[in-house]
Amino acid sequence: MSLLSRIQNRLSRILFSPVPATKITETSSTSTAERTDWLSDGYSWIPDWKQILGSDWDKWQGIIKEPRPGDKVLIATSMGGNSVLTPLESMFAVALTLRGADVHFLLCDKALPACQNCYASDLDTQRDFVEHGPKICDWCFDVGEKTLSQLGLPVHLYGNLVSEAERNEISATASKADILEIQNYRYLDLNLGESVTSAALRFFGKCDLDDEAMKLPVLRRYLSAAMVSTLALTRLFEEHGFNHVLSNQGFYVPQANIVLVAKKFDSHIVTWDLAYRKNCLHFSHDDAIIKQTGEEPNENWENMKWNSNVRKEITDYLSARWSGGSDWQHNITDGIDQEPIKIAKELGLDLKKPIIGLLTNVIWDAQISYPSNAFSDQLEWLISSVRYFKNRKDLQLLIRVHPAELKSWIASRQFAIDEIKKAFGEIPSNVFIIPPESKLNTYQAMKNCNAVIVYGTVAGLELACMGIPVIVAGQAWVRNKKISIDVSDPENYFKILDGLPGNGRLDEETKERALKYAFHFYMRTVLPVEVVEPMPYENAPYRIKEQPLSALNIGADEGLDIACNGILKKTPFIYFAEEKV
């Protein structure tokens, strides 16, 4: 269970009396001696910058008092209670300041009526959210302020940018909007519909809201939050004219609205998130990472240095991903030694008949519109696929439901197996399903397949590296790389399926191309940073090391240099890992 889930379950019952939102003093940061329980106390993950910098703390105090004539950078943290991302944003602030930037933060002070820190576990939770809003605002603001304010840099608050009276007026306006209006809602010349809809889908843990009784009031809350954040950011930009904006992830509310406003003011936007690999971060110019990766020119990697040593580096890493040993995200950690034939027999598959694999994503995850998607959402694709294969008795369909349906910290409330049963009454006889809780290894199971169909999972790239033909129906990382068979529309999709089981494994040239792109994706587009060290907790997988200011300055950490140069100079976020092999 994630930190946020623990906080909600624990503190909503017994702990939360409001925490005073006071200005942070030097003595209010949590010391190492007090860091006794990273998993449940809710505060131990806060970096203590006075302790981190040690004897350089006084030097930092002098630096922040000096004029900073460089570009203005807004780090739009917003939800301070994100124990995975907020500490690193404080680290970015230090590093950028050392490079001459004028860094500001943006933090929610309980002013947003909805955000990413909300989800619907049941109807009572939904009703409470509609009536009262987010449950953990006091804690979220408190830890966010403790993390950011200790640095002495400007921290702007949503509540200071949009008055309570204005927020009430916005709420009243949002409360009159119907679903169709919300989906196409424009405010301050910006379309808020996609960010609001995707945020509500995430809240419900579903890819559609058709049977949700509370969908309209929840959508209205997120619309109100999108409007408040858009107005706050507009005023902030009008006053400060930020040259660059750093926002984690870049989708949902309010992050997607941060991107929209930054673009409106012609500010350079950088989105970021943790990468799959330990100690690595992923950055993107101009939009959410998933959107930008799909549009990246192939020329960025096609002509990179490539030899047997580089090839071994990526094949070793891909093998390690089977157990999760090299990554901070561990969805598949079991069964790496399982034999594909034994898996097939356990599932009841007939090895004399062709098998087509199908890998799902978590149904609600990042449900955003992409012009290249063949289907309106993953569920339509899934049901359409099962319906097609039901009538193809010459083929067997092996569906692997994503393990994160059960492991994700946002609890899914819509499950692939349930949706298939709802659509067909019973599972078709030639359709076999590996449920999310199964310990059968996905990669070993897919070795039995003639081809594999994916919607958005990164496993599509890894299967192509194994020589398995991959069909992409959604916005997968491998799309548009001349590696997979990319679907453009439903008619095209079914025409491709008509050609199954296909002509065997990928040719060596395509497999080699897949390995080269995998190296680019996993090794070059992510930036390793030495100033942090891994911690064994999903809710706080990194800790900022104790180190002098020089460790964060130019030339000390190559990955951090690339990140800061990308933010300040708009240079590519590329780490030339092939040169290190």
Side-chain angles (χ1 to χ4, degrees), residues 457-471:
T457 175
V458 72
L461 171 58
E462 296 167 45
L463 294 173
C465 290
M466 295 162 58
I468 300 173
V470 174
I471 300 167

Side-chain angles (χ1 to χ4, degrees), residues 52-53 56 59-60 63 94-95 98-99 531 547-557 560-561:
I52 290 169
L53 296 178
D56 273 0
K59 184 185 296 185
W60 172 255
I63 289 171
V94 174
L98 292 175
R99 289 158 175 79
V531 295
Q547 56 206 311
L549 277 171
S550 59
L552 295 147
N553 214 333
I554 298 171
D557 185 323
L560 188 57
D561 280 344

Side-chain angles (χ1 to χ4, degrees), residues 68-275:
R68 293 183 291 279
D71 283 1
K72 280 192 171 184
V73 179
L74 175 65
I75 300 179
T77 301
S78 296
M79 275 75 68
N82 189 324
S83 60
V84 176
L85 303 183
T86 302
L88 291 174
E89 296 199 322
S90 72
M91 182 268 288
F92 297 148
V94 174
L96 290 167
T97 300
L98 292 175
R99 289 158 175 79
D102 181 9
V103 178
H104 296 227
F105 291 107
L106 175 62
L107 185 65
C108 178
D109 54 344
K110 304 181 283 187
L112 293 179
C115 67
Q116 276 188 298
N117 285 353
C118 311
Y119 65 92
S121 56
D122 52 40
L123 190 58
D124 288 340
T125 303
Q126 297 167 31
R127 287 171 174 156
D128 184 77
F129 170 74
V130 168
E131 185 174 350
H132 302 293
K135 291 179 68 67
I136 60 170
C137 287
D138 293 311
W139 167 80
C140 183
F141 177 43
D142 191 43
V143 294
E145 192 177 30
K146 278 180 165 62
T147 302
L148 304 182
S149 294
Q150 62 179 302
L151 293 175
L153 300 172
V155 179
H156 303 280
L157 304 177
Y158 280 94
N160 291 342
L161 293 162
V162 183
S163 70
E164 183 176 2
E166 289 173 314
R167 299 198 299 270
N168 290 337
E169 183 178 349
I170 285 173
S171 177
T173 300
S175 69
K176 299 173 185 176
D178 60 31
I179 290 178
L180 184 60
E181 289 174 322
I182 292 172
Q183 291 173 340
N184 300 281
Y185 204 91
R186 295 193 67 83
Y187 179 68
L188 300 181
D189 294 324
L190 296 172
N191 189 336
L192 307 184
E194 181 174 275
S195 65
V196 171
T197 302
S198 62
L201 292 170
R202 182 180 187 274
F203 171 84
F204 283 107
K206 302 180 71 173
C207 78
D208 65 70
L209 306 179
D210 293 343
D211 58 352
E212 291 296 335
M214 303 299 290
K215 61 186 175 186
L216 182 55
V218 168
L219 280 164
R220 286 169 171 168
R221 260 202 176 269
Y222 275 103
L223 174 60
S224 180
M227 294 168 71
V228 170
S229 58
T230 299
L231 179 57
L233 284 152
T234 297
R235 288 174 173 171
L236 198 56
F237 271 91
E238 287 174 344
E239 180 178 355
H240 293 281
F242 293 105
N243 305 100
H244 314 277
V245 177
L246 183 66
S247 174
N248 56 67
Q249 301 181 327
F251 40 80
Y252 305 124
V253 173
Q255 287 88 340
N257 309 104
I258 294 166
V259 173
L260 288 173
V261 176
K263 287 183 175 182
K264 179 180 178 180
F265 282 87
D266 294 323
S267 179
H268 170 224
I269 179 76
V270 172
T271 60
W272 80 279
D273 205 344
L274 297 186

Side-chain angles (χ1 to χ4, degrees), residues 289-314:
I289 292 169
I290 180 62
K291 288 188 174 182
Q292 285 299 97
T293 302
E295 299 169 1
E296 180 187 21
N298 290 334
E299 292 79 7
N300 284 5
W301 56 274
E302 287 177 320
N303 298 315
M304 58 172 276
K305 173 183 172 182
W306 187 249
N307 56 40
S308 59
N309 291 332
V310 178
R311 190 182 195 279
K312 185 178 185 302
E313 186 82 3
I314 187 60

Side-chain angles (χ1 to χ4, degrees), residues 322 332 335 338-341 343-344 347 349 351 354-360 396-403 432-435 440-454 457 459-460 462-464 466-470 505:
W322 287 28
I332 300 173
Q338 294 168 356
E339 296 180 18
I341 293 176
I343 293 175
L347 294 170
L349 290 159
L351 290 172
I355 303 168
I356 306 302
L358 185 150
L359 303 181
T360 71
Q396 301 168 97
L397 181 65
L398 174 58
I399 300 174
R400 195 349 167 176
V401 179
H402 201 297
F432 302 82
I433 301 178
I434 303 175
L440 293 178
N441 186 272
T442 299
Y443 302 103
Q444 297 287 21
M446 292 301 117
K447 285 183 178 180
N448 291 301
C449 298
N450 297 71
V452 176
I453 312 167
V454 303
T457 175
E462 296 167 45
L463 294 173
M466 295 162 58
I468 300 173
V470 174
R505 290 300 193 241

